[in-house]
Amino acid sequence: MKVLIIGAHGKVGRLLIDELQNKQIHFVAGLRNEEQIKAYQAEDIATQYIDLTAPIAEIKNSIEASGADTIVFTAGAGGAGYDLTMEIDLDGAIKTMDVAQTLGIKRYVMVSAVYSDDPSKWEASGIRPYYIAKHYADKYLRSTNLDYTIVHPGMLTNDDAVGKINIQSNYEGGSVPRADVAKVITQALETPSTIKKDINFVTGDEDIVSAVR
């Protein structure tokens, strides 16, 4: 396995790097910012320039150059405006799915959000366009021939990892540290039974390995 982390400089992406290093899983950090690339390379982290706003042909070249056979999409506009949210979280995500299928990359893990499948909650969230983007990106992913897993963590915190979660059929409330989200992604990559599945989870009482399996 060689994982391309798209959005490797985000909070979850950086923690995922730590997890993959601990598991000795090969990966490439997908980054858009040249300063971030230099900083990661200074830590001996393999990097790949990728711009999700670029034409799909350029994205294809970037993903192909990474040599990855697995993609984790954890990129996001991060509150930079609704136009960019649609361009990154929806259009950018879909372009990577199309490229993955073109290149024969099968495994694809999407970091989504709670309520992405529940439009009744979008308006009250105050970030309705973000949920629209995540909803349709998830829906498109399910329609592909990719071996996908979509993770829907509860409210994210920066607390230390707990290592235990509860998997819910739908989001019923609760939070989870970003560090545990990284652990869930890593475990999903190592667990074939998560293919074609959505995983909704919050901090709970079952260890992550057992819960994901």
Side-chain angles (χ1 to χ4, degrees):
M1 186 190 306
K2 186 176 184 182
V3 182
L4 173 61
I5 307 169
I6 299 178
H9 196 260
K11 292 178 180 178
V12 171
R14 178 67 236 204
L15 291 163
L16 179 58
I17 286 174
D18 296 338
E19 285 299 316
L20 296 181
Q21 286 176 325
N22 289 339
K23 290 288 190 81
Q24 297 185 319
I25 295 173
H26 296 297
F27 68 90
V28 180
L31 303 160
R32 181 183 178 186
N33 184 290
E34 293 291 346
E35 292 303 313
Q36 294 167 2
I37 290 174
K38 291 177 183 177
Y40 277 41
Q41 289 176 345
E43 297 181 50
D44 291 325
I45 294 173
T47 63
Q48 175 61 53
Y49 177 81
I50 181 167
D51 179 2
L52 295 174
T53 67
I56 194 167
E58 292 182 22
I59 294 173
K60 176 178 178 290
N61 290 339
S62 293
I63 293 177
E64 189 169 26
S66 75
D69 57 20
T70 300
I71 290 174
V72 173
F73 190 95
T74 183
Y82 291 145
D83 287 350
L84 198 57
T85 294
M86 290 299 174
E87 195 165 10
I88 299 294
D89 296 73
L90 179 56
D91 186 57
I94 287 174
K95 284 188 286 192
T96 67
M97 298 171 205
D98 286 345
V99 166
Q101 292 177 100
T102 299
L103 294 176
I105 295 171
K106 291 293 290 180
R107 193 73 172 101
Y108 192 109
V109 176
M110 168 65 78
V111 180
S112 186
V114 299
Y115 300 140
S116 67
D117 292 320
D118 187 355
S120 69
K121 300 289 198 303
W122 295 353
E123 196 65 44
S125 73
I127 50 172
R128 186 169 180 268
Y130 168 76
Y131 278 112
I132 292 171
K134 298 307 285 185
H135 173 77
Y136 285 102
D138 292 352
K139 186 174 181 178
Y140 189 87
L141 179 55
R142 295 185 191 108
S143 75
T144 68
N145 62 15
L146 297 170
D147 290 338
Y148 70 82
T149 303
I150 304 174
V151 298
H152 304 263
M155 186 170 56
L156 297 171
T157 74
N158 292 320
D159 297 336
D160 292 338
V162 176
K164 294 185 177 184
I165 60 172
N166 281 342
I167 291 180
Q168 306 173 331
S169 56
N170 292 294
Y171 181 59
E172 299 156 11
S175 62
V176 62
R178 289 179 172 87
D180 280 333
V181 177
K183 291 180 183 295
V184 169
I185 295 167
T186 303
Q187 187 58 44
L189 289 170
E190 297 185 304
T191 308
S193 61
T194 64
I195 291 173
K196 307 289 188 183
K197 299 284 180 60
D198 285 64
I199 305 175
N200 295 274
F201 63 98
V202 295
T203 295
D205 51 18
E206 187 174 5
D207 73 88
I208 287 173
V209 173
S210 298
V212 173
R213 286 179 177 171

